[in-house]
Amino acid sequence: MAKKNGLDGYCVPFFDDGNKSKFSLASIDPSSKPFSTGSKETDRERLAEIGVLLDAQQERLHAQRVQRVLLVLQGMDTSGKDGTIRAVFHEVDPLGLRIVPFKAPTPIELAHDFLWRVHAQAPAAGELTIFNRSHYEDVLVPYVLGSLDKEERIRRYGHIRDFERMLAESGTTIVKCMLYISKDEQRERLQARIDDPTKHWKFDVSDLDARKLWNKYQVAYEEALAATSTEYAPWYVIPADSKTHRNVMVGELLLRTFESLKLEFPPAKESLKGVIVE
Amino acid sequence: MAKKNGLDGYCVPFFDDGNKSKFSLASIDPSSKPFSTGSKETDRERLAEIGVLLDAQQERLHAQRVQRVLLVLQGMDTSGKDGTIRAVFHEVDPLGLRIVPFKAPTPIELAHDFLWRVHAQAPAAGELTIFNRSHYEDVLVPYVLGSLDKEERIRRYGHIRDFERMLAESGTTIVKCMLYISKDEQRERLQARIDDPTKHWKFDVSDLDARKLWNKYQVAYEEALAATSTEYAPWYVIPADSKTHRNVMVGELLLRTFESLKLEFPPAKESLKGVIVE
């Protein structure tokens, strides 16, 4: 397993290491809580602490305006992409955070290559950008629906690796998280939305169609993660049946990623020394 | 004065009412605190309350996905545009908030009409978008620098009114705030940035050049506000020498604007009644 951030066991082995056949989602238990203290209250305190620390890190990123950070969030319906963003980035200055939701591509987007709309949303210097779904939808969905054969998938994985390497070599730190829930947990969450009429607006009947393809999606995720986890853009699998655990783990991962950048505020400007404003 | 939101005295008279010659910035005291309770502590409690209420309003906007809300923030350097966004929108779900900073136009942007880059960033259905500076920079700055004569300014004000009317008639609620500080307050804030070496990264020497043009900017603001305050896109002048007061007043204004929309969650879907997830 890759050595990174103390989250080694949850990092998908790097493609470049020739490990691609060894990765299995089944090796991870979605109901496990490796980053929990065992107490929900203490976990929430830690999450609040992480929020404040992330805000401080992000301010340095913004002040420096050199590096960029990109978090990619993927996961099945109800896996908690929205909830993670809300909980983990609650304390981060909204000025320094850009969230990009990717929906089903529009006709204009489909008229371009699949990375076209994604590249346009890449983080600028000093930005922390979160992709809420991403270019990975453009391999996962057509794979599951049967419109993307193996040859074309392999080509797309190569395009993704090349694209992400280019971003990384241009100063973007990339972290990718798959929020991993069990099929049972999804049933409970979907049922809860159905049973609460005030939550119906969050519910789309197509969610039930996607659920019927659950096993195909697991296979598709397994293949995509193994083919695109790299030193410069690693994939982490986040056990996400527990929302609190999911939030803490994503928060810890981001925080350690930021800390590894050793961001400092820019130095004082000598030219400003002793200047008096009139 | 316009009758809106209980903030009548701070709303710039509407252009359409033929009041355009009657507006004077000098009639407003930037150090006044009309929305303060008199106690900074109570003001901060109210601000926290506003934050929670705005978050609830924004969730309905998002759930409904019909209407759009646009807040335009303008003001001299150090007037607190960034600070307002951070303080007032701290509680709002980052998923439902999009902040667009407008910098000096790039060569590509300059190759288009001045509303081109602005239109591209207009809020989508369900979005609350904040313009941190805006298309108003494209009249204020060239006016002050002497590269925009009166005839062309009048033309641009007309283009702005037409553009904003179109947005409003297409479902966008527009509120525009000028954060109004005194020249003395700006001196103190700029000096504080100079005296604190850890704040130098926030300081650009061009800020001092703009300060030398203070009076010209006041005249430019006065003209622009009077020419573009309309029923469908009113301008408010926010006394902003006190940061706490500024935050509370912008918060109250936004909250009352949201409340006037009478947003409700979408109704339950009959088709989901009794559905059991398998």
Side-chain angles (χ1 to χ4, degrees), chain B residues 96-109:
Chain B
L97 185 63
R98 194 161 56 86
I99 295 155
V100 185
F102 287 99
K103 311 278 183 191
T106 64
I108 290 173
E109 289 169 346

Side-chain angles (χ1 to χ4, degrees), chain A residues 55 59 62-63 65 82 85-86 89-91 93-95 97 99 103 132 187 190-191 194-195 197 200-205 208 211 265-269 272 275-278, chain B residues 55 59 62-63 65 82 85-86 89-91 93-95 97 99 103 132 187 190-191 194-195 197 200-205 208 211 265-269 272 275-278:
Chain A
D55 181 43
E59 197 188 359
H62 172 72
R65 280 179 208 275
D82 289 4
I85 295 172
R86 190 178 172 98
F89 300 96
H90 180 265
E91 289 298 325
D93 189 343
L95 286 168
L97 184 64
I99 295 155
K103 311 278 182 191
N132 189 357
R187 185 185 58 238
L190 286 174
Q191 192 67 58
I194 289 172
D195 293 346
H200 282 185
W201 62 273
K202 292 187 180 184
F203 197 93
D204 190 36
V205 179
L208 293 176
R211 178 171 169 80
F265 281 104
K269 294 174 184 166
L272 289 179
V275 167
I276 303 294
V277 181
E278 285 168 23
Chain B
D55 181 44
E59 196 188 358
H62 173 73
R65 279 178 209 272
D82 289 5
I85 295 171
R86 190 178 171 97
F89 300 96
H90 180 264
E91 289 298 326
D93 189 342
L95 286 169
L97 185 63
I99 295 155
K103 311 278 183 191
N132 188 357
R187 186 186 56 238
L190 287 173
Q191 192 66 57
I194 289 172
D195 294 346
H200 282 184
W201 64 272
K202 292 187 180 182
F203 197 93
D204 190 36
V205 179
L208 294 176
R211 176 169 170 80
F265 281 103
K269 295 174 183 167
L272 288 181
V275 167
I276 302 294
V277 181
E278 284 168 22

Side-chain angles (χ1 to χ4, degrees), chain B residues 3-263:
Chain B
K3 300 283 178 297
K4 261 189 107 89
N5 298 313
L7 288 114
D8 320 3
Y10 297 88
C11 184
V12 177
F14 295 157
F15 177 84
D16 302 347
D17 295 347
N19 284 327
K20 58 183 180 292
S21 61
K22 292 181 199 155
F23 172 66
S24 154
L25 262 181
S27 68
I28 292 168
D29 176 0
S31 71
S32 64
K33 304 181 194 175
F35 284 79
S36 170
T37 60
S39 143
K40 194 166 269 193
E41 203 184 330
T42 318
D43 286 351
R44 285 187 179 149
E45 282 167 22
R46 175 59 184 159
L47 186 62
E49 198 172 57
I50 289 172
V52 173
L53 293 168
L54 276 177
D55 181 44
Q57 288 286 342
Q58 194 282 327
E59 196 188 358
R60 290 169 186 217
L61 185 78
H62 173 73
Q64 200 183 65
R65 279 178 209 272
V66 177
Q67 304 202 59
R68 309 121 202 245
V69 177
L70 172 63
L71 170 64
V72 173
L73 286 182
Q74 281 288 155
M76 299 294 287
D77 292 325
T78 77
S79 63
K81 297 177 288 296
D82 289 5
T84 300
I85 295 171
R86 190 178 171 97
V88 178
F89 300 96
H90 180 264
E91 289 298 326
V92 173
D93 189 342
L95 286 169
L97 185 63
R98 194 161 56 86
I99 295 155
V100 185
F102 287 99
K103 311 278 183 191
T106 64
I108 290 173
E109 289 169 346
L110 281 173
H112 294 81
D113 68 87
F114 77 105
L115 293 171
W116 177 75
R117 63 174 184 162
V118 177
H119 202 162
Q121 299 290 353
E127 267 192 352
L128 164 58
T129 300
I130 302 178
F131 283 179
N132 188 357
R133 301 189 190 267
S134 65
H135 41 304
Y136 287 95
E137 294 288 315
D138 300 305
V139 278
L140 296 167
V141 178
Y143 179 3
V144 166
L145 298 182
S147 61
L148 200 67
D149 65 21
K150 180 142 194 176
E151 199 183 354
E152 180 59 18
R153 291 203 304 276
I154 288 172
R155 229 185 333 253
R156 287 200 177 190
Y157 297 140
H159 296 159
I160 289 176
R161 288 193 303 270
D162 293 345
F163 171 63
E164 292 178 349
R165 184 192 296 109
M166 181 275 296
L167 291 183
E169 289 178 357
S170 309
T172 303
T173 301
I174 305 172
V175 179
K176 302 180 291 194
C177 291
M178 186 229 176
L179 306 182
Y180 184 40
I181 56 170
S182 65
K183 197 177 176 188
D184 282 349
E185 180 67 22
Q186 191 195 49
R187 186 186 56 238
E188 285 182 28
R189 293 185 186 180
L190 287 173
Q191 192 66 57
R193 288 187 187 178
I194 289 172
D195 294 346
D196 179 354
T198 70
K199 297 278 166 64
H200 282 184
W201 64 272
K202 292 187 180 182
F203 197 93
D204 190 36
V205 179
S206 69
D207 293 354
L208 294 176
D209 296 335
R211 176 169 170 80
K212 289 191 188 119
L213 300 166
W214 180 274
N215 291 339
K216 284 193 176 177
Y217 268 108
Q218 303 303 302
V219 171
Y221 264 107
E222 217 159 58
E223 180 182 279
L225 267 56
T228 59
S229 191
T230 56
E231 179 96 41
Y232 50 85
W235 267 113
Y236 290 88
V237 179
I238 312 290
D241 276 2
S242 155
K243 293 176 184 175
T244 307
H245 172 265
R246 171 200 76 204
N247 295 339
V248 170
M249 186 167 167
V250 173
E252 294 281 7
L253 174 58
L254 254 282
L255 184 57
R256 292 177 203 190
T257 303
F258 265 105
E259 285 170 352
S260 73
L261 299 179
K262 305 204 182 306
L263 296 165

Side-chain angles (χ1 to χ4, degrees), chain A residues 38-58:
Chain A
S39 143
K40 193 167 269 193
E41 203 184 330
T42 318
D43 287 352
R44 286 188 178 149
E45 280 167 22
R46 175 60 185 157
L47 186 62
E49 199 173 55
I50 288 171
V52 173
L53 293 169
L54 276 177
D55 181 43
Q57 289 286 342
Q58 194 282 328

